[in-house]
Amino acid sequence: AAGVIQSPRHLIKEKRETATLKCYPIPRHDTVYWYQQGPGQDPQFLISFYEKMQSDKGSIPDRFSAQQFSDYHSELNMSSLELGDSALYFCASSSRLAKVGYTQYFGPGTRLTVL
Amino acid sequence: QQQVKQSPQSLIVQKGGISIINCAYENTAFDYFPWYQQFPGKGPALLIAIRPDVSEKKEGRFTISFNKSAKQFSLHIMDSQPGDSATYFCAANAGKSTFGDGTTLTVKP
């Protein structure tokens, strides 16, 4: 079965640079979520989109922005990167039409390292 | 404020034993309670999930017990295997997922 695809899998940036992370949800899934996971921590919700509109917002810094496109893929844009942004970034997708409701399926993650 | 509290932080079980991880929540708006298994450097993988109108759900060696009045739920892993060694997260959903802090499970051969 198709899973959530994230790219790139690894990214190394310098402080103050920008980064763009991409997420391709499971086909026919209409909702995308972004999470940040620091070392030894649980995933922290950043932001979500349903049908290309922002549906919820968590602890996402103002330096970050995201959007969902017409093909349902999503991009997380991160500017003025700081050392503390180094983390695993996960995308998850779900379908509101599915019987299981909001079950979220996670992608493999993008490991961002800021030097 | 921690909305989902998970315990224990770490757990060591002998092969064949039962692993039990507990979670408690505060927000009654949560309407879906999944458990995830995560290996180092990998994304959380959905193990099993339950709705609050069900008291127990079993899938293979994994069982969720849910106590709505106490706002608690737990994961039981029967016949634990070394391959089960991973970090387990409970979560509570109201749209987005709110995760517990995770439990690192080590199953000794």
Side-chain angles (χ1 to χ4, degrees):
Chain A
V4 176
I5 297 172
Q6 290 188 246
S7 67
R9 295 294 310 280
H10 302 273
L11 190 57
I12 299 175
K13 290 287 186 179
E14 300 278 342
K15 278 172 47 178
R16 292 180 289 277
E17 287 191 321
T18 61
T20 298
L21 279 54
K22 296 184 179 182
C23 169
Y24 297 86
I26 292 171
R28 291 180 295 281
H29 278 196
D30 48 32
T31 307
V32 168
Y33 310 80
W34 286 97
Y35 293 87
Q36 178 192 58
Q37 186 176 30
Q41 297 179 359
D42 60 295
Q44 294 293 315
F45 172 73
L46 293 177
I47 195 167
S48 63
F49 293 86
Y50 167 65
E51 285 290 345
K52 293 151 278 183
M53 299 289 289
Q54 181 180 308
S55 55
D56 202 350
K57 191 172 182 179
S59 51
I60 184 170
D62 292 339
R63 300 178 288 107
F64 295 5
S65 64
Q67 57 181 325
Q68 186 180 31
F69 294 86
S70 57
D71 64 351
Y72 293 98
H73 94 272
S74 178
E75 295 183 4
L76 178 65
N77 298 293
M78 311 160 72
S79 63
S80 302
L81 286 170
E82 302 174 356
L83 296 177
D85 296 330
S86 296
L88 272 169
Y89 290 84
F90 291 106
C91 170
S93 73
S94 69
S95 169
R96 292 195 180 186
L97 297 178
K99 288 183 179 179
V100 292
Y102 297 121
T103 298
Q104 296 177 31
Y105 297 89
F106 282 75
T110 294
R111 182 174 294 281
L112 172 66
T113 302
V114 181
L115 301 176
Chain B
Q1 181 184 359
Q2 183 72 32
Q3 290 202 55
V4 180
K5 295 183 179 179
Q6 183 173 345
S7 63
Q9 187 174 18
S10 62
L11 181 61
I12 299 174
V13 173
Q14 290 294 131
K15 179 182 175 181
I18 302 174
S19 303
I20 302 174
I21 304 171
N22 301 298
C23 284
Y25 64 97
E26 291 294 326
N27 189 349
T28 56
F30 292 135
D31 59 4
Y32 193 65
F33 300 87
W35 283 89
Y36 289 91
Q37 178 190 59
Q38 187 176 27
F39 294 102
K42 305 292 185 182
L46 179 68
L47 262 182
I48 186 172
I50 198 168
R51 294 190 182 281
D53 55 348
V54 177
S55 61
E56 186 174 283
K57 183 175 181 180
K58 183 176 181 180
E59 290 184 0
R61 296 186 294 112
F62 302 94
T63 300
I64 299 178
S65 297
F66 190 87
N67 186 329
K68 187 175 181 179
S69 60
K71 291 188 284 187
Q72 296 175 349
F73 58 111
S74 61
L75 175 69
H76 294 228
I77 305 175
M78 312 300 287
D79 187 26
S80 299
Q81 299 295 313
D84 296 332
S85 298
T87 299
Y88 292 81
F89 291 99
C90 64
N93 288 11
K96 68 182 184 219
S97 283
T98 299
F99 286 81
D101 286 340
T103 296
T104 301
L105 171 65
T106 302
V107 180
K108 293 198 168 184

PDB file of all heavy atoms in Angstrom, chain B residues 66-103:
ATOM      1  N   PHE B  66      -9.643   0.716  27.698  1.00  0.00           N
ATOM      2  CA  PHE B  66     -10.033   2.122  27.776  1.00  0.00           C
ATOM      3  C   PHE B  66     -11.047   2.310  28.896  1.00  0.00           C
ATOM      4  O   PHE B  66     -12.049   1.596  28.961  1.00  0.00           O
ATOM      5  CB  PHE B  66     -10.627   2.568  26.438  1.00  0.00           C
ATOM      6  CG  PHE B  66     -10.841   4.040  26.342  1.00  0.00           C
ATOM      7  CD1 PHE B  66      -9.825   4.867  25.904  1.00  0.00           C
ATOM      8  CD2 PHE B  66     -12.055   4.607  26.701  1.00  0.00           C
ATOM      9  CE1 PHE B  66     -10.010   6.240  25.812  1.00  0.00           C
ATOM     10  CE2 PHE B  66     -12.240   5.976  26.624  1.00  0.00           C
ATOM     11  CZ  PHE B  66     -11.214   6.793  26.179  1.00  0.00           C
ATOM     12  N   ASN B  67     -10.771   3.259  29.783  1.00  0.00           N
ATOM     13  CA  ASN B  67     -11.669   3.583  30.888  1.00  0.00           C
ATOM     14  C   ASN B  67     -12.088   5.033  30.735  1.00  0.00           C
ATOM     15  O   ASN B  67     -11.352   5.946  31.130  1.00  0.00           O
ATOM     16  CB  ASN B  67     -10.976   3.351  32.236  1.00  0.00           C
ATOM     17  CG  ASN B  67     -11.916   3.540  33.422  1.00  0.00           C
ATOM     18  OD1 ASN B  67     -12.836   4.334  33.379  1.00  0.00           O
ATOM     19  ND2 ASN B  67     -11.668   2.792  34.484  1.00  0.00           N
ATOM     20  N   LYS B  68     -13.268   5.242  30.167  1.00  0.00           N
ATOM     21  CA  LYS B  68     -13.707   6.594  29.851  1.00  0.00           C
ATOM     22  C   LYS B  68     -13.942   7.426  31.109  1.00  0.00           C
ATOM     23  O   LYS B  68     -13.587   8.606  31.157  1.00  0.00           O
ATOM     24  CB  LYS B  68     -14.992   6.547  29.021  1.00  0.00           C
ATOM     25  CG  LYS B  68     -15.455   7.891  28.500  1.00  0.00           C
ATOM     26  CD  LYS B  68     -16.645   7.732  27.593  1.00  0.00           C
ATOM     27  CE  LYS B  68     -17.106   9.079  27.042  1.00  0.00           C
ATOM     28  NZ  LYS B  68     -18.261   8.927  26.120  1.00  0.00           N
ATOM     29  N   SER B  69     -14.517   6.832  32.134  1.00  0.00           N
ATOM     30  CA  SER B  69     -14.825   7.594  33.343  1.00  0.00           C
ATOM     31  C   SER B  69     -13.549   8.055  34.051  1.00  0.00           C
ATOM     32  O   SER B  69     -13.492   9.151  34.612  1.00  0.00           O
ATOM     33  CB  SER B  69     -15.688   6.776  34.303  1.00  0.00           C
ATOM     34  OG  SER B  69     -15.010   5.589  34.683  1.00  0.00           O
ATOM     35  N   ALA B  70     -12.521   7.223  33.993  1.00  0.00           N
ATOM     36  CA  ALA B  70     -11.249   7.574  34.628  1.00  0.00           C
ATOM     37  C   ALA B  70     -10.352   8.362  33.680  1.00  0.00           C
ATOM     38  O   ALA B  70      -9.293   8.859  34.105  1.00  0.00           O
ATOM     39  CB  ALA B  70     -10.530   6.322  35.102  1.00  0.00           C
ATOM     40  N   LYS B  71     -10.748   8.452  32.432  1.00  0.00           N
ATOM     41  CA  LYS B  71      -9.935   9.120  31.398  1.00  0.00           C
ATOM     42  C   LYS B  71      -8.539   8.511  31.339  1.00  0.00           C
ATOM     43  O   LYS B  71      -7.515   9.221  31.367  1.00  0.00           O
ATOM     44  CB  LYS B  71      -9.899  10.629  31.629  1.00  0.00           C
ATOM     45  CG  LYS B  71     -11.258  11.285  31.378  1.00  0.00           C
ATOM     46  CD  LYS B  71     -11.218  12.804  31.410  1.00  0.00           C
ATOM     47  CE  LYS B  71     -11.126  13.301  32.824  1.00  0.00           C
ATOM     48  NZ  LYS B  71     -11.245  14.781  32.914  1.00  0.00           N
ATOM     49  N   GLN B  72      -8.544   7.186  31.271  1.00  0.00           N
ATOM     50  CA  GLN B  72      -7.281   6.455  31.201  1.00  0.00           C
ATOM     51  C   GLN B  72      -7.378   5.368  30.136  1.00  0.00           C
ATOM     52  O   GLN B  72      -8.461   4.823  29.885  1.00  0.00           O
ATOM     53  CB  GLN B  72      -6.950   5.816  32.557  1.00  0.00           C
ATOM     54  CG  GLN B  72      -6.702   6.814  33.677  1.00  0.00           C
ATOM     55  CD  GLN B  72      -6.498   6.143  35.013  1.00  0.00           C
ATOM     56  OE1 GLN B  72      -6.736   4.954  35.175  1.00  0.00           O
ATOM     57  NE2 GLN B  72      -6.044   6.910  35.988  1.00  0.00           N
ATOM     58  N   PHE B  73      -6.246   5.066  29.531  1.00  0.00           N
ATOM     59  CA  PHE B  73      -6.200   3.954  28.600  1.00  0.00           C
ATOM     60  C   PHE B  73      -4.806   3.340  28.629  1.00  0.00           C
ATOM     61  O   PHE B  73      -3.833   4.010  29.031  1.00  0.00           O
ATOM     62  CB  PHE B  73      -6.607   4.363  27.184  1.00  0.00           C
ATOM     63  CG  PHE B  73      -5.799   5.466  26.562  1.00  0.00           C
ATOM     64  CD1 PHE B  73      -4.956   5.192  25.500  1.00  0.00           C
ATOM     65  CD2 PHE B  73      -5.907   6.781  26.997  1.00  0.00           C
ATOM     66  CE1 PHE B  73      -4.217   6.198  24.896  1.00  0.00           C
ATOM     67  CE2 PHE B  73      -5.170   7.795  26.406  1.00  0.00           C
ATOM     68  CZ  PHE B  73      -4.325   7.501  25.349  1.00  0.00           C
ATOM     69  N   SER B  74      -4.743   2.085  28.278  1.00  0.00           N
ATOM     70  CA  SER B  74      -3.468   1.389  28.391  1.00  0.00           C
ATOM     71  C   SER B  74      -3.265   0.436  27.218  1.00  0.00           C
ATOM     72  O   SER B  74      -4.220  -0.008  26.588  1.00  0.00           O
ATOM     73  CB  SER B  74      -3.390   0.616  29.706  1.00  0.00           C
ATOM     74  OG  SER B  74      -4.416  -0.349  29.769  1.00  0.00           O
ATOM     75  N   LEU B  75      -1.995   0.169  26.964  1.00  0.00           N
ATOM     76  CA  LEU B  75      -1.595  -0.780  25.920  1.00  0.00           C
ATOM     77  C   LEU B  75      -0.976  -1.996  26.603  1.00  0.00           C
ATOM     78  O   LEU B  75      -0.094  -1.842  27.451  1.00  0.00           O
ATOM     79  CB  LEU B  75      -0.574  -0.144  24.978  1.00  0.00           C
ATOM     80  CG  LEU B  75       0.029  -1.062  23.917  1.00  0.00           C
ATOM     81  CD1 LEU B  75      -1.015  -1.440  22.878  1.00  0.00           C
ATOM     82  CD2 LEU B  75       1.225  -0.400  23.246  1.00  0.00           C
ATOM     83  N   HIS B  76      -1.459  -3.165  26.236  1.00  0.00           N
ATOM     84  CA  HIS B  76      -0.887  -4.405  26.732  1.00  0.00           C
ATOM     85  C   HIS B  76      -0.278  -5.145  25.553  1.00  0.00           C
ATOM     86  O   HIS B  76      -0.962  -5.363  24.538  1.00  0.00           O
ATOM     87  CB  HIS B  76      -1.961  -5.292  27.376  1.00  0.00           C
ATOM     88  CG  HIS B  76      -2.547  -4.703  28.612  1.00  0.00           C
ATOM     89  ND1 HIS B  76      -2.688  -5.424  29.783  1.00  0.00           N
ATOM     90  CD2 HIS B  76      -3.036  -3.474  28.885  1.00  0.00           C
ATOM     91  CE1 HIS B  76      -3.234  -4.652  30.713  1.00  0.00           C
ATOM     92  NE2 HIS B  76      -3.458  -3.474  30.193  1.00  0.00           N
ATOM     93  N   ILE B  77       0.979  -5.523  25.688  1.00  0.00           N
ATOM     94  CA  ILE B  77       1.642  -6.322  24.664  1.00  0.00           C
ATOM     95  C   ILE B  77       1.874  -7.704  25.265  1.00  0.00           C
ATOM     96  O   ILE B  77       2.659  -7.860  26.211  1.00  0.00           O
ATOM     97  CB  ILE B  77       2.981  -5.701  24.217  1.00  0.00           C
ATOM     98  CG1 ILE B  77       2.773  -4.268  23.748  1.00  0.00           C
ATOM     99  CG2 ILE B  77       3.594  -6.540  23.089  1.00  0.00           C
ATOM    100  CD1 ILE B  77       4.076  -3.540  23.412  1.00  0.00           C
ATOM    101  N   MET B  78       1.159  -8.667  24.748  1.00  0.00           N
ATOM    102  CA  MET B  78       1.284 -10.046  25.249  1.00  0.00           C
ATOM    103  C   MET B  78       2.462 -10.727  24.565  1.00  0.00           C
ATOM    104  O   MET B  78       2.824 -10.380  23.433  1.00  0.00           O
ATOM    105  CB  MET B  78      -0.001 -10.817  24.967  1.00  0.00           C
ATOM    106  CG  MET B  78      -1.286 -10.096  25.368  1.00  0.00           C
ATOM    107  SD  MET B  78      -1.372  -9.723  27.109  1.00  0.00           S
ATOM    108  CE  MET B  78      -1.675 -11.380  27.717  1.00  0.00           C
ATOM    109  N   ASP B  79       3.040 -11.720  25.262  1.00  0.00           N
ATOM    110  CA  ASP B  79       4.139 -12.505  24.690  1.00  0.00           C
ATOM    111  C   ASP B  79       5.166 -11.576  24.041  1.00  0.00           C
ATOM    112  O   ASP B  79       5.496 -11.707  22.865  1.00  0.00           O
ATOM    113  CB  ASP B  79       3.568 -13.492  23.663  1.00  0.00           C
ATOM    114  CG  ASP B  79       4.605 -14.465  23.146  1.00  0.00           C
ATOM    115  OD1 ASP B  79       5.583 -14.734  23.864  1.00  0.00           O
ATOM    116  OD2 ASP B  79       4.444 -14.937  21.988  1.00  0.00           O
ATOM    117  N   SER B  80       5.652 -10.617  24.809  1.00  0.00           N
ATOM    118  CA  SER B  80       6.587  -9.614  24.288  1.00  0.00           C
ATOM    119  C   SER B  80       7.819 -10.278  23.676  1.00  0.00           C
ATOM    120  O   SER B  80       8.348 -11.257  24.220  1.00  0.00           O
ATOM    121  CB  SER B  80       7.006  -8.661  25.408  1.00  0.00           C
ATOM    122  OG  SER B  80       5.886  -7.973  25.918  1.00  0.00           O
ATOM    123  N   GLN B  81       8.272  -9.722  22.549  1.00  0.00           N
ATOM    124  CA  GLN B  81       9.401 -10.251  21.807  1.00  0.00           C
ATOM    125  C   GLN B  81      10.509  -9.199  21.690  1.00  0.00           C
ATOM    126  O   GLN B  81      10.223  -8.003  21.714  1.00  0.00           O
ATOM    127  CB  GLN B  81       8.961 -10.674  20.421  1.00  0.00           C
ATOM    128  CG  GLN B  81       7.902 -11.762  20.410  1.00  0.00           C
ATOM    129  CD  GLN B  81       8.420 -13.068  20.991  1.00  0.00           C
ATOM    130  OE1 GLN B  81       9.514 -13.525  20.650  1.00  0.00           O
ATOM    131  NE2 GLN B  81       7.645 -13.669  21.901  1.00  0.00           N
ATOM    132  N   PRO B  82      11.763  -9.624  21.542  1.00  0.00           N
ATOM    133  CA  PRO B  82      12.847  -8.642  21.380  1.00  0.00           C
ATOM    134  C   PRO B  82      12.578  -7.657  20.246  1.00  0.00           C
ATOM    135  O   PRO B  82      12.961  -6.477  20.334  1.00  0.00           O
ATOM    136  CB  PRO B  82      14.068  -9.526  21.103  1.00  0.00           C
ATOM    137  CG  PRO B  82      13.773 -10.802  21.825  1.00  0.00           C
ATOM    138  CD  PRO B  82      12.285 -11.001  21.662  1.00  0.00           C
ATOM    139  N   GLY B  83      11.906  -8.089  19.206  1.00  0.00           N
ATOM    140  CA  GLY B  83      11.562  -7.202  18.095  1.00  0.00           C
ATOM    141  C   GLY B  83      10.563  -6.119  18.454  1.00  0.00           C
ATOM    142  O   GLY B  83      10.367  -5.168  17.688  1.00  0.00           O
ATOM    143  N   ASP B  84       9.932  -6.257  19.618  1.00  0.00           N
ATOM    144  CA  ASP B  84       9.005  -5.229  20.083  1.00  0.00           C
ATOM    145  C   ASP B  84       9.743  -4.065  20.734  1.00  0.00           C
ATOM    146  O   ASP B  84       9.128  -3.044  21.069  1.00  0.00           O
ATOM    147  CB  ASP B  84       8.019  -5.815  21.115  1.00  0.00           C
ATOM    148  CG  ASP B  84       7.124  -6.883  20.529  1.00  0.00           C
ATOM    149  OD1 ASP B  84       6.847  -6.832  19.302  1.00  0.00           O
ATOM    150  OD2 ASP B  84       6.696  -7.783  21.286  1.00  0.00           O
ATOM    151  N   SER B  85      11.042  -4.227  20.950  1.00  0.00           N
ATOM    152  CA  SER B  85      11.834  -3.171  21.591  1.00  0.00           C
ATOM    153  C   SER B  85      11.792  -1.914  20.730  1.00  0.00           C
ATOM    154  O   SER B  85      12.254  -1.916  19.575  1.00  0.00           O
ATOM    155  CB  SER B  85      13.274  -3.630  21.791  1.00  0.00           C
ATOM    156  OG  SER B  85      13.327  -4.751  22.653  1.00  0.00           O
ATOM    157  N   ALA B  86      11.222  -0.867  21.263  1.00  0.00           N
ATOM    158  CA  ALA B  86      10.994   0.379  20.525  1.00  0.00           C
ATOM    159  C   ALA B  86      10.458   1.408  21.508  1.00  0.00           C
ATOM    160  O   ALA B  86      10.288   1.126  22.694  1.00  0.00           O
ATOM    161  CB  ALA B  86       9.990   0.153  19.396  1.00  0.00           C
ATOM    162  N   THR B  87      10.183   2.590  21.000  1.00  0.00           N
ATOM    163  CA  THR B  87       9.497   3.606  21.795  1.00  0.00           C
ATOM    164  C   THR B  87       8.024   3.601  21.414  1.00  0.00           C
ATOM    165  O   THR B  87       7.690   3.593  20.231  1.00  0.00           O
ATOM    166  CB  THR B  87      10.101   4.993  21.567  1.00  0.00           C
ATOM    167  OG1 THR B  87      11.475   4.981  21.969  1.00  0.00           O
ATOM    168  CG2 THR B  87       9.368   6.038  22.408  1.00  0.00           C
ATOM    169  N   TYR B  88       7.176   3.597  22.407  1.00  0.00           N
ATOM    170  CA  TYR B  88       5.734   3.566  22.195  1.00  0.00           C
ATOM    171  C   TYR B  88       5.126   4.890  22.666  1.00  0.00           C
ATOM    172  O   TYR B  88       5.418   5.370  23.766  1.00  0.00           O
ATOM    173  CB  TYR B  88       5.116   2.390  22.944  1.00  0.00           C
ATOM    174  CG  TYR B  88       5.524   1.066  22.353  1.00  0.00           C
ATOM    175  CD1 TYR B  88       6.762   0.503  22.670  1.00  0.00           C
ATOM    176  CD2 TYR B  88       4.707   0.399  21.451  1.00  0.00           C
ATOM    177  CE1 TYR B  88       7.173  -0.688  22.102  1.00  0.00           C
ATOM    178  CE2 TYR B  88       5.106  -0.802  20.877  1.00  0.00           C
ATOM    179  CZ  TYR B  88       6.344  -1.332  21.204  1.00  0.00           C
ATOM    180  OH  TYR B  88       6.748  -2.514  20.633  1.00  0.00           O
ATOM    181  N   PHE B  89       4.311   5.444  21.822  1.00  0.00           N
ATOM    182  CA  PHE B  89       3.617   6.682  22.155  1.00  0.00           C
ATOM    183  C   PHE B  89       2.116   6.430  22.165  1.00  0.00           C
ATOM    184  O   PHE B  89       1.563   5.863  21.212  1.00  0.00           O
ATOM    185  CB  PHE B  89       3.895   7.776  21.120  1.00  0.00           C
ATOM    186  CG  PHE B  89       5.297   8.289  21.118  1.00  0.00           C
ATOM    187  CD1 PHE B  89       6.228   7.828  20.193  1.00  0.00           C
ATOM    188  CD2 PHE B  89       5.696   9.268  22.021  1.00  0.00           C
ATOM    189  CE1 PHE B  89       7.528   8.314  20.177  1.00  0.00           C
ATOM    190  CE2 PHE B  89       6.993   9.756  22.010  1.00  0.00           C
ATOM    191  CZ  PHE B  89       7.906   9.275  21.089  1.00  0.00           C
ATOM    192  N   CYS B  90       1.460   6.883  23.219  1.00  0.00           N
ATOM    193  CA  CYS B  90       0.023   6.983  23.144  1.00  0.00           C
ATOM    194  C   CYS B  90      -0.300   8.362  22.594  1.00  0.00           C
ATOM    195  O   CYS B  90       0.527   9.279  22.661  1.00  0.00           O
ATOM    196  CB  CYS B  90      -0.630   6.780  24.510  1.00  0.00           C
ATOM    197  SG  CYS B  90      -0.222   8.033  25.749  1.00  0.00           S
ATOM    198  N   ALA B  91      -1.468   8.502  22.043  1.00  0.00           N
ATOM    199  CA  ALA B  91      -1.899   9.793  21.533  1.00  0.00           C
ATOM    200  C   ALA B  91      -3.392   9.929  21.754  1.00  0.00           C
ATOM    201  O   ALA B  91      -4.110   8.942  21.923  1.00  0.00           O
ATOM    202  CB  ALA B  91      -1.557   9.940  20.049  1.00  0.00           C
ATOM    203  N   ALA B  92      -3.818  11.159  21.775  1.00  0.00           N
ATOM    204  CA  ALA B  92      -5.241  11.466  21.881  1.00  0.00           C
ATOM    205  C   ALA B  92      -5.564  12.485  20.799  1.00  0.00           C
ATOM    206  O   ALA B  92      -4.842  13.482  20.649  1.00  0.00           O
ATOM    207  CB  ALA B  92      -5.573  12.013  23.261  1.00  0.00           C
ATOM    208  N   ASN B  93      -6.587  12.204  20.044  1.00  0.00           N
ATOM    209  CA  ASN B  93      -6.902  13.035  18.882  1.00  0.00           C
ATOM    210  C   ASN B  93      -8.155  13.851  19.089  1.00  0.00           C
ATOM    211  O   ASN B  93      -9.173  13.362  19.576  1.00  0.00           O
ATOM    212  CB  ASN B  93      -7.109  12.147  17.647  1.00  0.00           C
ATOM    213  CG  ASN B  93      -5.834  11.555  17.117  1.00  0.00           C
ATOM    214  OD1 ASN B  93      -4.796  11.628  17.756  1.00  0.00           O
ATOM    215  ND2 ASN B  93      -5.910  10.943  15.942  1.00  0.00           N
ATOM    216  N   ALA B  94      -8.040  15.110  18.663  1.00  0.00           N
ATOM    217  CA  ALA B  94      -9.206  15.954  18.424  1.00  0.00           C
ATOM    218  C   ALA B  94      -8.817  16.685  17.142  1.00  0.00           C
ATOM    219  O   ALA B  94      -8.460  17.852  17.158  1.00  0.00           O
ATOM    220  CB  ALA B  94      -9.447  16.909  19.588  1.00  0.00           C
ATOM    221  N   GLY B  95      -8.841  15.924  16.040  1.00  0.00           N
ATOM    222  CA  GLY B  95      -8.216  16.412  14.817  1.00  0.00           C
ATOM    223  C   GLY B  95      -6.730  16.068  14.882  1.00  0.00           C
ATOM    224  O   GLY B  95      -6.313  14.966  14.593  1.00  0.00           O
ATOM    225  N   LYS B  96      -5.935  17.013  15.345  1.00  0.00           N
ATOM    226  CA  LYS B  96      -4.498  16.755  15.499  1.00  0.00           C
ATOM    227  C   LYS B  96      -4.280  15.754  16.626  1.00  0.00           C
ATOM    228  O   LYS B  96      -5.163  15.507  17.458  1.00  0.00           O
ATOM    229  CB  LYS B  96      -3.784  18.064  15.831  1.00  0.00           C
ATOM    230  CG  LYS B  96      -4.144  18.588  17.214  1.00  0.00           C
ATOM    231  CD  LYS B  96      -3.473  19.912  17.504  1.00  0.00           C
ATOM    232  CE  LYS B  96      -3.789  20.329  18.924  1.00  0.00           C
ATOM    233  NZ  LYS B  96      -4.037  21.748  19.056  1.00  0.00           N
ATOM    234  N   SER B  97      -3.087  15.173  16.625  1.00  0.00           N
ATOM    235  CA  SER B  97      -2.714  14.227  17.675  1.00  0.00           C
ATOM    236  C   SER B  97      -1.911  14.925  18.761  1.00  0.00           C
ATOM    237  O   SER B  97      -0.976  15.667  18.461  1.00  0.00           O
ATOM    238  CB  SER B  97      -1.867  13.096  17.089  1.00  0.00           C
ATOM    239  OG  SER B  97      -2.661  12.158  16.403  1.00  0.00           O
ATOM    240  N   THR B  98      -2.272  14.667  19.989  1.00  0.00           N
ATOM    241  CA  THR B  98      -1.470  15.096  21.132  1.00  0.00           C
ATOM    242  C   THR B  98      -0.834  13.843  21.706  1.00  0.00           C
ATOM    243  O   THR B  98      -1.540  12.910  22.093  1.00  0.00           O
ATOM    244  CB  THR B  98      -2.328  15.794  22.198  1.00  0.00           C
ATOM    245  OG1 THR B  98      -2.936  16.955  21.617  1.00  0.00           O
ATOM    246  CG2 THR B  98      -1.461  16.221  23.381  1.00  0.00           C
ATOM    247  N   PHE B  99       0.489  13.820  21.752  1.00  0.00           N
ATOM    248  CA  PHE B  99       1.221  12.627  22.123  1.00  0.00           C
ATOM    249  C   PHE B  99       1.592  12.632  23.601  1.00  0.00           C
ATOM    250  O   PHE B  99       1.818  13.687  24.205  1.00  0.00           O
ATOM    251  CB  PHE B  99       2.511  12.518  21.302  1.00  0.00           C
ATOM    252  CG  PHE B  99       2.294  12.115  19.871  1.00  0.00           C
ATOM    253  CD1 PHE B  99       1.911  13.055  18.924  1.00  0.00           C
ATOM    254  CD2 PHE B  99       2.480  10.806  19.464  1.00  0.00           C
ATOM    255  CE1 PHE B  99       1.702  12.696  17.599  1.00  0.00           C
ATOM    256  CE2 PHE B  99       2.281  10.432  18.138  1.00  0.00           C
ATOM    257  CZ  PHE B  99       1.891  11.375  17.213  1.00  0.00           C
ATOM    258  N   GLY B 100       1.671  11.437  24.156  1.00  0.00           N
ATOM    259  CA  GLY B 100       2.318  11.267  25.447  1.00  0.00           C
ATOM    260  C   GLY B 100       3.822  11.376  25.269  1.00  0.00           C
ATOM    261  O   GLY B 100       4.321  11.490  24.143  1.00  0.00           O
ATOM    262  N   ASP B 101       4.554  11.340  26.367  1.00  0.00           N
ATOM    263  CA  ASP B 101       6.000  11.535  26.314  1.00  0.00           C
ATOM    264  C   ASP B 101       6.758  10.324  25.773  1.00  0.00           C
ATOM    265  O   ASP B 101       7.946  10.420  25.490  1.00  0.00           O
ATOM    266  CB  ASP B 101       6.542  11.874  27.703  1.00  0.00           C
ATOM    267  CG  ASP B 101       6.194  13.293  28.111  1.00  0.00           C
ATOM    268  OD1 ASP B 101       5.891  14.101  27.203  1.00  0.00           O
ATOM    269  OD2 ASP B 101       6.226  13.595  29.323  1.00  0.00           O
ATOM    270  N   GLY B 102       6.096   9.200  25.656  1.00  0.00           N
ATOM    271  CA  GLY B 102       6.742   8.012  25.116  1.00  0.00           C
ATOM    272  C   GLY B 102       7.255   7.078  26.193  1.00  0.00           C
ATOM    273  O   GLY B 102       7.611   7.501  27.298  1.00  0.00           O
ATOM    274  N   THR B 103       7.284   5.805  25.856  1.00  0.00           N
ATOM    275  CA  THR B 103       7.842   4.768  26.734  1.00  0.00           C
ATOM    276  C   THR B 103       8.838   3.960  25.930  1.00  0.00           C
ATOM    277  O   THR B 103       8.492   3.437  24.865  1.00  0.00           O
ATOM    278  CB  THR B 103       6.736   3.830  27.255  1.00  0.00           C
ATOM    279  OG1 THR B 103       5.831   4.564  28.064  1.00  0.00           O
ATOM    280  CG2 THR B 103       7.327   2.668  28.048  1.00  0.00           C
TER     281      THR B 103
END
